[in-house]
Every structure is written in C-alpha cells, then in structure tokens.
C-alpha cells in the first residue's frame, strides 16, 4: 500500500528549476532511498515534503490525504516527521528533554501553564524508551551541546521517532559521520524496518544499497529512474548521470 | 474637498515622503547588508540639522553651512561606526538595540549640553523664503519645493549609484545574500564603513534640509526614525526602491490623513467626538497601512530580491 | 533514580539558585522599615516605583528572555493599563474591582492584536514593528485631548476596593505592590517550567525544530506575548495608582528601551534578573541624577560597555543559576 504519493511536483527559484515534474510513491513499511549528485534538488524535495517550501505545482498525498498546502506542524501530527541534514537539536536542552518535547507534542496541546514539565513521569518514560531505541539512554542527562557529532545524529532520529511517525523523512542521516558511527547508524535504521516507513535521502551509496528496498535517482530535479538496488545498478541512464566521480561507488 | 488645499497637502506629503526616504534609505541599506539595526540613525539626522543651523549662523550662508554640515555629519557617522557599531556586527539584534540605545542617550544629552535644551533658530534662507504661485492660484513656499527637488535629485543619484556602479552591485548582492560578499572576496570592513558613511550622509542631508522648516531640537530624530521603520516595513527590507515607494506612501497618507480625516469623521460622528477621534484616527492611519501590508505581504511591497528575512 | 525526577537539578544547586531571589525580596521587604527608621518616606515611594517597573521587566523577560522575541514596545502595554485606570477614573469609575481587570484586559487585547501582526515576521522586522505599533498608541494617547492630550491628566484618586484596603496609604500600597511582584515572580517560575514554558524556551532556541516536531510555534509565542502584555498592563495599573497621573510619556519608546535595559542588565532569561535590573537601573538613575543633571552622558556609555563586555547580566556575577 502506498503511504506517500508525490504527483508531478515542480518548484523553481527564478530561472532555476529545482524540482521538475517529479513523481514518487513510497510503499508502507519500506525503506525508499533518494539519491542524486550534488544540485539534484534533494534538499528542495525534502523541504517540500516536510512543508517548509510550497511547490509551484503538483501534489503530495500522505496516508491518503492531500497535504500539499499543510504547514509543517500539521504534517507532523499526521505522522510525517523529518530529521535534518545539519543537526538541528536544542543544544541547551538535555537529550531527554529534546526527546520529551517531541513526546509532549504528540500528547496534545501544551497550553499547560502550571505543573512542572520535567516531572511528568509518563512523558519522561516514553522519551527514555525512544532514547533506548537509538542507544542513547545512558546519555539522557547530557546537554545536546555536550555530546559527539555522531550521537547528535542519532538524537536527530530519536526526536523524529518520538513524534510517533508513520513515516520518517531522513535528510542525509550519515552526513559527516565517521565509518564506525555510520555503521551504528545503519544498524539502528535496520531495526526500524517494518515499524516505520522511511524515505532516506543519502549521499553514502554504501549505506543506501545496504538499506533500501527501492531507490529513486534524482538528476536536475527530475526522477530519472526508480527501482530495486539491483535494477538501479544496472540502469544505463543512472550510470551515465553518475559517470566519473561517483561511478566507483555505484559499482561497489 | 478644496482642490487647492488638496494640491498643497499633496505637496506637503511629497515633501515629508522625500525626507523619510533619505532617512529610510540609509537605514535599510545598513539593515540589508550588515543585518545591523541602528536606532541611533535618527540622532544622526538630528545632528545634521544642528550642524547646519550652527554653520549657517557662523558663515551667514545656508549653502556654505550645508556644505560644512554634510562632511561633519559623515564624520560623526564614521566615528560611531569605528568606535561602537563595528563591535556589534554579527551580534544578536538585542545587543545592537541596546548598544545603539546607549549611543542615543549619550548623543542626545551631549547635544543638550552643547546647544542647550531649547530649539535652535534656523531661518529659511532668504533666496527661498518667498512663495511660488502654482496652477489655479495656489501658492506654495519655495523652500519646500527646494526640499522636494533636492530630495528627488538625491534619490535619483542614489538609484544610479546602486543600479550602475560596482559599489552598488556589491550593495545589491549583500542585501539579497550577505554570504555572497565573502565569496566574492570583498573587503567587508571597508564596504561596511562606506555603506555606513553613505547612510550617515543621507541622514545628515535630510536633517539639514528639514532644519529650517522643523524645530531643531534634541528629540526631532525620534519621530522620523520610527516613521522610517514604518517605511521600511512597508517597502521591504534592504531595497532602495522599496524605501522610495514606502516613503512616498507614508508621507502622503500621513499628511492627507491629518488634513482631511477629521472632516470626514465629522460626517459620521458629532463634532465634539470628532475632535478627539479624528486626530487619533489620522495618527493611526500609517500604522493601519503597515498592518495591512504585513497581512498581505510580510516581507513588504518591494523586498530586496532573494531576501528571506 | 526514577524516570520522573530525571531532570530535576540536585538539591544543593537549587538552594544556591534560590539565594539571590530570596536576598532581593528580603531587601525589598525591609525598605519600609529602614525608611521609617531613617525618617525618609521618599524611599518607600522610590521602591514602590522600582517594584512596579520590576513587574513590567518580568513581563518583558517572558517574551524576551524565554521566548526570544525582541519587543521594543512593551511600555505601550504599561501605558494601556495606566490609561484604562485614568479614563475610568475620569468618568467617575474608581472601583478597583472594575478598573484593574479592565486595565489588564485592555493591555492583553492590545498585545493580542499587535502580537498577531508582529509575529508574522521575525528578526529586525519584529523589532521595528513592535516599536512602530507602540508609537501608534503613544500618538493616539497624545491625540486624546479629552484625556489631557500630550499633557496627560491627573487622577481623582487611587482605586478603591470597597473599603477593604486603603491604597492611599503609602505603606499599604507598598505592600500591595510587593505582593503583586512576589506573586508575578512565583507564578512565572511555574509558567517557564511548565509544558508551555518548555515549548516557549524551545521556540527561542530553535523554532524550526519545534515546528518539525509538531508545534504550531506562532500560537505559543502569541500566547506568551499576550500573557506578557497582560502583566505589563497590571504594572501600568499600579503605576497609574502610584503617581495618580497618566501621560503619553508612559508609552514613549525610551521607556520601552529602558525596560529592555533592565532585563538585559539584570540577566536575560532568569526571573530574578529583571527584578535586580529594575533595582539597579532605577537606583543608578537616582544616584547619577543627584550627581549631575547630565547623567545620561554616563549612563549611555555604561549601557554600551555592559552589552559589549558583560554578557549575561549582573545576576550571573553572583553565580546564580537560571
């Protein structure tokens, strides 16, 4: 069953078309990767799916609902959560509080002016459980500014997970992460398979080909191919687009 | 509505708009390029008027006084930039607000110490103290026409500077994308100082032009500064064309509102109430205009291209 | 350690954090007695005024220090609260039961309208717009010739509370203002630690992130703005009662700037900071203005230097915790 359906999406900035006639469907429970060379329009695509940018044309359907014109926070409430390419956590908050805020958002409105939020046992327990999922439970009282880059990448995912999503939009979760921590990330994402649908935007070809059920290749804002990892490897147009610098990665 | 009164008030609105443009243009450039909010810009305008009044009195000639006041105003601006403001580029807007507030307190008091708290006398130059007869028998003070003409000339010069020169190219690039300046390898410090000096010159020019028709006093900059903010919000941050459009709109709406709104209110309300409601409403008019622009287009009518703030 | 106490700071830290606020309130509590012993009733009036501005500074700190919104027009909400008292008094309504809620409500309404418009923007725009709308209220007050125009107007007297308390007695009024300040402080402590406060603090630090986890950030910021406006309105209600006079000068933009100076010099984002800041700024004004009539020449550079060099405000110098 299709969870996310993108129909003929288009977005231009002045004379530059960042997204052109882009269609995409992501099956529920799958890990679907979007790859493409620099400037292919991956970031613009994420921004449109998350609701930060409004497309010029086309539709985004999520869980059977047209969300094209919904603001960011409404999409999250429907179950479409995202992580950021550059870690975007609350640096002066503890890891637990970062996640607890996401749990709190799921529990309804926060117009509660009196009771101490840090003593809400139910929210703290749920937040702790999510931290356990990504393996950060022992760091719960550290401030987000104090942990390593790799741990902050995991926290990014934990925050997105804590919103209770049906689908995660992961914007280059491996960005800037060393091989060891990258391995940790891949393992963690693998444990999420089946529990939550993932749209993975990623540069790390190795990770993509190990994780993804399906891959869409983006070039100049257009989807030039979609298929299983094997199909993509064999696709002539893809090889052409990636010829040169990243050709080796595809073969490997 | 009396057509002659309407014509005269339209000219008054234009004259206020031109002064507002001169103040707002410097502000908006400094905002747009340095992301720096300079609340002391109004004080720089005020100091321009004081310099001009003093130098005119000393030399006995308005033009000579103006010629001396302008570089003096620029010098004050450059000194402020060197001593205080440059330390606050890249800081929180809050810090900038506070620092420039401190400068306002200091300079306003300094002016009071040097020139005294009472308004300075600054007569209209003799060669422009007559009235000009316009079409239909309306008369209009020549000096105010001189302000309109002078302001429009400076506006045209500024437009040419920003649209045609290398300096202008850098200014436009900086307003739409500050990071691009670094990429271009520009000497940022020098550019900032130049832009700041340009802003100080425009504010000083506005002050020396306005001096003879307004009362030259320490608080004369406050009012104009806040009107200039309204102009920038309406016109769009960082854009010279936006500042021009916004300034003319604010000048005309404010002036025409003040002269005709009370009469209009009298048609609806009893005269006794209209005396209170009319002036209150007309002083609110430009803010209502600003609110309307905010609702329709939060980034203003003509924002600098690509500006996202 | 159980899950529900995870984030509570250790007891020793909490105790040390409470020392400075306690000392501040203790200082304010002994003022009437010291003033009485010295035969200087003027100090009661000075500190009443200081505490009134401390309430306004607290209100501003909620949006500035916890919400990250640089409102440069907070004196306007004070002014609206004060004018509500003045206008009602002018028309012979002197009941505090009516005056006070109306004053607070009018300020909240002004904050709701201005906040809703200003929050469509951010950064420099937000600063300019809050200032511009405050100036609009300032000019409006100037234009109200029935209510004194730019001269302002003198009140018939202070609010009456069915004879329960006599506000006209300087000491009684002092303790009422003291109580309002203490309750505002304690109430805001709860608010900033509540779920609402946590969302607000999150918005200050990273609004994009807060939207990305499902918060309608504009709504929470607006709620804080209105709450802050209402509290500033209450301080205006107190100010009108204290001076028995209202004038457009209450809303001037210099007043708004003064409030920001108090909050920042005292310590942004701590609740005792604005109180310390109000004490410091107003006492300094008092002392400097005795020294020279041109005390702004000293005060101006002092502000510049403080902002340039001493980030975090004076309460940080005492090692106080937020």
């Amino acid at each position: 069953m299709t969870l996310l359906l993108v129909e003929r999406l288009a977005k231009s900035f002045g004379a530059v078309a960042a997204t052109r006639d882009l269609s995409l469907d992501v099956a529920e429970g799958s890990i679907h990767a979007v790859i493409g060379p620099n400037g292919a329009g991956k970031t613009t695509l994420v921004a449109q799916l998350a609701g930060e940018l409004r497309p010029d044309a086309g539709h985004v359907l999520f869980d059977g609902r047209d969300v094209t014109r919904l603001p960011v926070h409404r999409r999250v409430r429907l179950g479409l959560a995202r992580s950021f390419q550059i870690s975007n956590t609350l640096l002066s908050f503890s890891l637990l509080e970062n996640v607890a805020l996401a749990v709190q958002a799921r529990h309804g409105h926060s117009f509660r002016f009196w009771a101490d939020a840090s003593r809400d046992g139910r929210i703290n327990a749920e937040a702790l459980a999510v931290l356990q999922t990504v393996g950060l439970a022992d760091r719960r009282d550290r401030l987000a500014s104090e942990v390593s880059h790799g741990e902050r990448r995991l926290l990014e995912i934990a925050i997105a997970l804590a919103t209770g999503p049906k689908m995660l939009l992961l914007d280059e979760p491996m960005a800037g992460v060393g091989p060891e921590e990258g391995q940790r990330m891949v393992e963690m994402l693998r444990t999420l398979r089946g529990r939550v649908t993932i749209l993975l935007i990623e540069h790390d070809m190795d990770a993509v080909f190990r994780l993804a059920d399906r891959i869409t290749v983006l070039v100049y804002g257009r989807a030039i191919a979609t298929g299983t990892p094997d199909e993509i490897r064999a696709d002539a147009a893809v090889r052409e687009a990636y010829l040169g610098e990243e050709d080796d990665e595809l073969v490997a | 509505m009396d057509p002659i009164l309407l014509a005269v008030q339209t000219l008054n609105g234009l004259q206020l708009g031109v002064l507002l443009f001169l103040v707002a243009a410097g502000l908006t450039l400094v905002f747009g390029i340095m992301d720096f909010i300079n609340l002391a810009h109004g004080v720089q305008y005020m100091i321009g008027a004081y310099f001009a009044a003093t130098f005119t009195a000393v030399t006995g000639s308005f033009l000579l006084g103006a010629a001396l006041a302008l570089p003096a105003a620029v010098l004050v601006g450059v000194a402020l930039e060197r001593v205080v403001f440059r330390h606050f580029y890249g800081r929180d807007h809050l810090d900038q607000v506070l620092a420039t507030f401190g400068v306002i307190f200091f300079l306003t008091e300094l002016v009071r110490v040097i020139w005294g708290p009472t308004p300075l006398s600054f007569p209209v130059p003799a060669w422009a103290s007559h009235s000009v007869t316009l079409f239909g028998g309306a008369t209009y003070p020549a000096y105010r026409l001189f302000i309109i003409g002078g302001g429009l000339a400076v506006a045209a010069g500024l437009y040419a500077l920003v649209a045609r020169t290398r300096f202008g190219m850098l200014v436009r690039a900086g307003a739409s994308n500050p990071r691009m300046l670094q990429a271009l390898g520009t000497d940022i410090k020098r550019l900032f100082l130049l832009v700041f000096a340009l802003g100080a010159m425009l504010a000083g020019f506005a002050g020396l032009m306005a001096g003879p028709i307004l009362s030259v006093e320490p608080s004369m900059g406050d009012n104009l500064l806040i009107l200039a903010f309204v102009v920038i919000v309406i016109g769009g941050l960082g854009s010279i064309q936006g500042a021009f459009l916004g300034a003319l709109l604010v000048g005309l709406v404010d002036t025409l509102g003040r002269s005709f709104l009370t009469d209009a209110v009298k048609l609806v309300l009893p005269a006794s109430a209209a005396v209170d409601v009319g002036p209150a409403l007309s002083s609110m008019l430009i803010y209502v205009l600003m609110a309307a622009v905010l609702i329709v287009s939060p980034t203003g009518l003509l924002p600098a291209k690509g500006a996202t703030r | 350690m159980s899950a529900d106490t995870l984030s509570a700071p250790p007891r020793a830290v909490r105790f040390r954090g409470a020392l400075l606020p306690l000392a501040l309130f203790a200082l304010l509590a002994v003022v009437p007695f010291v003033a009485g012993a010295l035969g200087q009733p003027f100090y009661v009036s000075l500190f009443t005024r200081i505490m009134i501005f401390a309430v306004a500074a607290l209100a501003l700190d909620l949006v500035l220090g916890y919400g990250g919104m640089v409102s440069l027009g907070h004196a306007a909400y004070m002014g609206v609260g004060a004018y509500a008292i003045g206008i009602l008094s002018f028309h012979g309504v002197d009941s505090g039961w009516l005056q006070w809620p109306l004053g607070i409500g009018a300020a909240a309404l002004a904050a709701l309208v201005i906040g809703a418009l200003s929050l469509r923007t951010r950064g420099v725009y937000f600063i300019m717009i809050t200032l511009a709308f405050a100036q609009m209220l300032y000019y409006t007050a100037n234009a109200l010739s029935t209510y004194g125009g730019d001269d302002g107007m003198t009140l018939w007297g202070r609010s009456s509370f069915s004879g329960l308390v006599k506000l006209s007695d300087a000491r009684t009024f002092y303790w009422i203002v003291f109580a309002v300040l203490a309750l505002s402080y304690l109430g805001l402590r709860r608010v900033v630690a509540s779920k609402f406060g946590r969302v607000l603090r999150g918005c200050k630090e990273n609004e994009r992130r807060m939207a990305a986890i499902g918060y309608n950030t504009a709504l929470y910021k607006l709620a804080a703005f209105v709450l802050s406006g209402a509290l500033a309105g209450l301080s205006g209600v107190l100010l009108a009662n204290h001076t028995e006079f209202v004038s457009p000068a209450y809303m001037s933009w210099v007043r708004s700037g003064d409030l920001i100076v108090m909050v920042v010099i005292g310590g942004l984002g701590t609740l005792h900071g604005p109180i310390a800041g109000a004490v410091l700024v107003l006492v300094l004004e008092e002392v400097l203005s005795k020294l020279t009539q041109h005390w702004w020449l000293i005060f101006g550079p002092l502000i510049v230097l403080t902002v340039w060099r001493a980030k975090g405000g004076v309460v940080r110098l005492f090692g106080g915790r937020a």
Side-chain angles (χ1 to χ4, degrees):
Chain A
M1 204 194 107
T2 297
L3 184 60
L4 179 78
L5 184 65
V6 178
E7 285 178 335
R8 316 205 62 173
L9 210 62
K11 176 79 190 173
S12 309
F13 299 99
V16 183
T19 307
R20 308 184 208 205
D21 198 21
L22 179 76
S23 298
L24 187 72
D25 66 288
V26 179
E28 191 163 3
S30 70
I31 297 183
H32 191 126
V34 173
I35 60 173
N38 279 326
K42 300 188 295 274
T43 306
T44 311
L45 175 63
V46 174
Q48 290 173 90
L49 297 183
E52 287 182 344
L53 264 185
R54 183 147 302 173
D56 298 335
H59 294 276
V60 178
L61 275 82
F62 179 70
D63 206 8
R65 233 185 111 163
D66 189 337
V67 298
T68 317
R69 305 203 148 260
L70 285 190
V72 177
H73 63 95
R74 295 275 308 279
R75 298 188 197 206
V76 180
R77 294 274 60 81
L78 291 174
L80 179 61
R82 65 152 322 165
S83 75
F84 291 90
Q85 180 183 355
I86 295 162
S87 291
N88 209 351
T89 56
L90 304 173
L91 292 175
S92 73
F93 286 55
S94 70
L95 300 200
L96 186 79
E97 273 189 308
N98 265 285
V99 180
L101 263 169
V103 176
Q104 182 182 322
R106 176 157 49 83
H107 282 213
H109 72 79
S110 288
F111 289 102
R112 304 253 183 271
F113 296 88
W114 206 246
D116 190 338
S118 66
R119 286 162 186 268
D120 188 315
R122 204 167 119 229
I123 285 179
N124 284 344
E126 281 184 50
L128 192 57
V130 178
L131 280 180
Q132 252 147 13
T133 312
V134 300
L136 285 174
D138 58 329
R139 315 285 272 169
R140 63 194 173 197
D141 287 329
R142 289 298 187 89
L143 299 184
S145 59
E146 297 170 346
V147 300
S148 75
H149 175 76
E151 286 171 325
R152 222 173 290 151
R153 299 305 298 155
L154 288 168
L155 176 63
E156 250 321 304
I157 310 234
I159 292 170
L161 270 180
T163 62
K166 295 189 179 82
M167 177 164 179
L168 279 179
L169 275 175
L170 301 182
D171 192 359
E172 302 203 18
M174 248 67 86
V177 171
E180 213 166 289
E181 283 176 319
Q183 185 58 33
R184 197 172 160 197
M185 180 71 76
V186 170
E187 291 306 321
M188 199 275 293
L189 292 180
R190 203 168 258 156
T191 65
L192 296 179
R193 184 194 294 277
R195 284 166 58 189
V196 52
T197 310
I198 293 176
L199 185 71
L200 177 68
I201 315 285
E202 187 50 66
H203 248 342
D204 184 334
M205 291 300 154
D206 187 40
V208 166
F209 281 88
R210 278 163 65 200
L211 280 169
D213 302 309
R214 289 175 76 74
I215 298 174
T216 295
V217 183
L218 220 58
V219 176
Y220 293 123
R222 206 189 297 274
I224 61 163
T226 295
T228 64
D230 287 337
E231 287 165 359
I232 292 300
R233 258 193 207 104
D235 191 297
V238 175
R239 298 189 75 95
E240 175 130 350
Y242 269 86
L243 209 64
E245 36 169 344
E246 289 181 78
D247 196 30
D248 304 341
E249 291 183 51
L250 267 177
V251 179
Chain B
M1 208 182 282
D2 179 1
I4 290 181
L5 181 62
L6 181 65
V8 167
Q9 292 296 0
T10 304
L11 283 173
N12 280 341
L14 203 59
Q15 175 244 302
L16 174 61
V18 160
L19 286 180
L20 277 174
F21 169 72
L22 293 175
V23 174
L27 263 180
T28 203
L29 285 180
V30 170
F31 282 154
I33 297 164
M34 309 173 204
D35 196 24
F36 179 77
I37 179 163
N38 177 18
L39 296 178
H41 199 70
V43 172
Q44 290 172 261
Y45 156 87
M46 177 262 287
I47 286 178
Y50 268 93
F51 279 152
T54 308
F55 289 135
T56 301
V58 170
T59 61
S61 150
F62 175 80
L63 290 180
L64 215 54
L68 288 171
L70 208 53
V74 172
L75 215 61
V76 170
V78 168
L80 282 177
E81 204 268 352
R82 290 285 88 184
V83 177
V84 183
F85 298 154
R86 70 189 171 101
H87 303 297
F88 292 91
Y89 296 151
R91 296 273 290 263
D92 283 354
H93 292 140
L94 178 59
D95 290 354
Q96 299 170 353
V97 164
L98 281 162
T100 53
F101 232 92
V103 169
I104 292 173
F105 286 155
F106 177 78
L107 287 181
T108 308
E109 195 58 45
L110 195 64
V111 165
R112 237 176 243 135
V113 170
I114 296 175
W115 282 285
T118 47
L120 227 54
S121 119
F122 188 2
V124 173
W127 45 265
S129 57
H130 59 285
S131 282
V132 177
T133 307
L134 305 171
F135 53 89
T139 58
Y140 198 72
Y143 185 75
R144 288 180 182 259
L145 287 177
F146 172 66
I147 293 183
I148 297 175
L152 289 177
V154 171
L158 193 61
Y159 180 78
L161 181 72
V162 171
R164 299 280 156 81
T165 64
R166 181 179 152 74
F167 170 75
M169 189 270 287
L170 291 174
V171 164
R172 276 178 292 132
S176 57
N177 185 357
R179 247 168 288 159
M180 197 200 279
L181 287 181
Q182 263 126 345
L184 288 172
T186 313
D187 182 351
I188 302 268
K189 280 184 187 160
R190 214 174 114 243
L191 181 70
F192 279 14
L193 185 63
L194 276 176
V195 171
F196 212 94
L198 180 65
M201 190 180 77
L202 292 170
F205 184 65
L208 75 88
M209 296 287 270
I213 54 163
L214 299 174
S215 128
V216 178
E217 55 186 346
S219 66
M220 70 183 286
D222 297 4
N223 190 0
L224 211 69
L225 175 79
I226 294 160
L227 285 180
F229 282 168
V230 176
V231 164
I232 292 172
V233 172
I234 290 176
L237 203 64
S239 130
I240 292 286
Q241 289 98 313
F244 190 71
L245 176 67
L248 291 191
L249 271 176
V250 169
L252 286 171
V253 168
D254 193 53
T255 310
L256 294 177
R258 279 176 204 282
S259 50
F260 297 112
L261 200 64
T262 303
D263 288 339
V265 170
K266 275 184 189 147
L267 300 176
V268 191
L269 291 175
S272 61
V275 170
D276 252 1
V277 174
L281 268 186
S282 57
S283 67
M284 288 168 87
L285 218 51
I286 53 164
Y287 303 98
V288 174
L289 177 68
M290 177 176 88
V293 169
L294 277 175
I295 290 169
V296 179
S297 162
T299 49
L301 296 175
L302 295 173
K305 273 211 186 84
T308 49
R309 273 190 305 272
Chain C
M1 207 189 262
S2 68
D4 57 351
T5 56
L6 278 170
S7 295
R11 188 169 294 170
V13 173
R14 275 160 68 196
F15 179 70
R16 211 184 60 190
L19 266 183
L20 197 57
L22 277 175
L24 266 173
F25 277 102
L27 169 81
L28 294 172
V30 299
V31 164
F33 304 105
V34 174
L38 294 175
Q40 292 275 13
F42 162 71
Y43 286 124
V44 174
S45 173
L46 172 66
F47 274 83
T48 304
R49 184 181 169 78
I50 287 175
M51 290 193 298
I52 290 170
F53 277 93
V55 172
L58 270 178
L60 178 60
D61 193 27
L62 180 67
V63 295
L64 187 62
Y66 292 92
M69 296 169 257
V70 184
S71 164
L72 189 43
H74 250 57
Y77 312 112
M78 246 184 131
V80 169
Y83 261 88
I85 303 292
I87 290 171
L88 287 169
S89 163
F90 178 85
H91 292 290
V93 180
D94 67 348
S95 160
W97 304 117
L98 215 62
Q99 281 184 342
W100 289 37
L102 281 174
I104 296 167
L109 187 67
L112 176 67
V113 175
I114 293 174
L117 287 166
S118 314
L119 284 169
R120 293 174 66 80
T121 65
R122 57 200 67 236
V124 169
Y125 266 111
F126 185 83
I127 299 173
M128 291 193 289
I129 292 161
T130 50
L131 172 59
F133 280 123
Q135 200 70 3
M136 174 184 89
L137 292 174
Y138 170 81
Y139 286 127
T140 307
N142 264 302
L144 294 175
S145 51
T146 308
Y147 306 113
D150 55 356
D151 292 330
M153 69 173 160
T154 304
L155 271 56
W156 292 111
R158 292 184 177 171
S159 309
S160 77
F161 282 94
S162 328
L164 278 178
V165 283
K166 278 246 179 309
L167 264 48
S168 53
D169 177 64
R171 280 191 168 223
T172 309
F173 189 63
Y174 185 92
W175 289 115
I176 285 173
V177 175
F178 182 88
V180 169
L181 177 62
L183 290 175
S184 307
Y185 170 77
L186 292 172
L188 283 181
R189 268 184 78 124
R190 301 291 306 226
V191 169
V192 299
S194 71
K195 287 187 181 171
F196 173 78
R198 183 153 78 174
V199 173
L200 187 63
R201 285 181 282 130
C203 289
K204 180 195 177 189
E205 178 149 342
N206 191 337
E207 193 170 345
R208 190 167 170 222
R209 158 53 73 192
M210 294 301 282
I213 55 179
Y215 289 106
N216 184 355
T217 53
L219 208 57
Y220 290 92
K221 287 167 79 174
L222 182 59
F225 202 85
V226 173
L227 187 61
S228 170
L231 190 58
L234 174 59
S235 82
V237 165
L238 294 173
L239 186 64
N241 270 290
H242 179 54
T243 56
E244 299 183 36
F245 176 73
V246 295
S247 102
Y250 286 7
M251 306 195 204
S252 85
W253 72 301
V254 174
R255 217 19 112 63
S256 293
D258 260 352
L259 287 175
I260 295 190
V261 170
M262 288 175 198
V263 173
V264 172
I265 287 200
L268 198 65
T270 73
L271 287 172
H272 49 287
I275 303 177
V279 173
L280 203 74
V281 168
L282 292 175
V283 167
L284 201 67
E285 274 188 19
E286 198 62 37
V287 173
L288 287 179
S289 63
K290 287 252 160 54
L291 236 61
T292 161
Q293 68 174 112
H294 301 301
W295 59 280
W296 290 110
L297 288 181
I298 308 167
F299 195 58
L302 216 56
I303 296 173
V304 176
L305 279 177
T306 314
V307 181
W308 186 17
R309 289 298 184 196
K311 286 215 84 165
V314 289
V315 300
R316 296 263 195 271
L317 301 179
F318 296 95
R321 231 182 98 104

